[in-house]
């Protein structure tokens, strides 16, 4: 929660700014979609993907750099090999995906910073909702496992994974916003599992 001034008075925030901030936070936490590569790029992508497993380090590095440069059009190919049996290929694929997603989300962070307190308030609201969703999914998974309901257990685990991913993204975003905010610790072992620390205080940054 945002630490408001003494006396419990919540600062006034323009409703339109809150709506814009909430939409931007949702967009930040949403999966980054892969774009369809142009026909002439597909052969290039196949070649670069093969070079991730090259015997030569320089070729592997060059392929990783080029795939990141290509951006969202490379995401489909990279995600397809992210569970490769070759550990280095899988690691390079995951690293490239993370770099592309981070670069794609960067303009959203810049726009949220411009919204100031509205961005922090919107983030806190959605972080609280994400923690609730994660706790509910954890509980549903436990109940399904106890009941021996394989179908419900699979659904609960999928929901838990999605909620955990969303919460991790929101925690990451909280470290990039310029105003102070704090993150309450969720139940059980989720704090450790999802990288959440108690009452993380973000420093004020000077403007201008």
């Amino acid at each position: 929660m945002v630490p408001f001034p003494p006396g419990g008075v919540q600062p006034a925030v323009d409703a339109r700014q809150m709506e814009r901030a909430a939409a931007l936070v949702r967009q930040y936490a949403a999966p980054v979609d892969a774009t369809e590569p142009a026909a002439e790029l597909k052969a290039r992508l196949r070649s670069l993907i093969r070079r991730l497993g090259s015997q030569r380090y320089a070729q592997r590095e060059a392929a990783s750099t080029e795939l990141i440069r290509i951006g969202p059009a490379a995401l489909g190919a990279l995600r397809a090999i992210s569970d490769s049996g070759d550990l280095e290929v899988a690691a390079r694929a995951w690293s490239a995906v993370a770099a592309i997603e981070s670069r794609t989300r960067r303009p959203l962070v810049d726009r949220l910073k411009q919204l100031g307190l509205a961005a922090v308030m919107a983030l806190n609201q959605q972080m609280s909702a994400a923690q609730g969703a994660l706790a509910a999914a954890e509980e549903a998974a436990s109940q399904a496992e106890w009941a021996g309901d394989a179908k419900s257990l699979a659904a609960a685990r999928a929901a838990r994974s999605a909620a955990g991913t969303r919460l991790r993204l929101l925690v990451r975003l909280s470290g990039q916003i310029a105003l102070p905010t704090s993150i309450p610790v969720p139940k059980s072992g989720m704090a450790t599992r999802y990288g959440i620390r108690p009452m993380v205080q973000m420093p004020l940054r000077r403007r201008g």
Side-chain angles (χ1 to χ4, degrees), residues 4-57:
F4 296 121
V9 178
Q10 179 171 322
V13 176
D14 182 80
R16 287 173 297 181
Q17 284 193 332
M18 279 295 296
E19 290 176 3
R20 287 198 295 271
L24 288 170
V25 172
R26 285 193 296 270
Q27 189 176 350
Y28 180 95
V32 175
D33 293 330
T35 59
E36 180 66 21
E40 60 272 17
L41 182 58
K42 291 181 179 180
R44 175 66 174 160
L45 286 172
R46 287 193 293 269
S47 174
L48 290 169
I49 292 296
R50 284 195 300 270
R51 285 166 57 190
L52 288 179
S54 170
Q55 296 295 316
R56 297 175 59 187
Y57 174 78

Side-chain angles (χ1 to χ4, degrees), residues 41-179:
L41 182 58
K42 291 181 179 180
R44 175 66 174 160
L45 286 172
R46 287 193 293 269
S47 174
L48 290 169
I49 292 296
R50 284 195 300 270
R51 285 166 57 190
L52 288 179
S54 170
Q55 296 295 316
R56 297 175 59 187
Y57 174 78
Q59 286 194 354
R60 299 196 300 272
E61 280 289 286
S64 293
T65 300
E66 179 65 11
L67 286 162
I68 292 170
R69 188 197 65 78
I70 290 171
L75 283 175
L78 286 165
R79 286 169 176 162
I81 62 164
S82 60
D83 59 352
S84 168
D86 185 317
L87 294 181
E88 182 170 357
V89 169
R92 284 183 176 276
W94 277 110
S95 179
V97 167
I100 293 168
E101 290 180 343
S102 178
R103 188 175 65 187
T104 302
R105 291 185 172 105
R106 196 172 301 148
L108 300 174
V109 176
D110 293 338
R111 291 168 65 187
L112 281 163
K113 286 180 179 179
Q114 294 174 1
L115 291 173
L117 183 58
V120 176
M121 293 175 68
L123 172 60
N124 280 339
Q125 289 173 1
Q126 293 189 39
M127 190 176 294
S128 178
Q131 289 177 1
L134 182 55
E138 290 270 14
E139 179 64 22
S142 296
Q143 291 182 0
E145 189 170 15
W146 182 83
D149 186 340
K151 184 176 180 180
S152 295
L153 179 59
R157 284 175 172 170
R160 182 176 62 189
S161 176
T165 297
R166 178 177 174 80
L167 185 54
R168 280 193 295 271
L169 285 168
L170 293 175
V171 170
R172 184 183 305 164
L173 177 59
S174 73
Q176 301 176 70
I177 290 183
L179 293 178

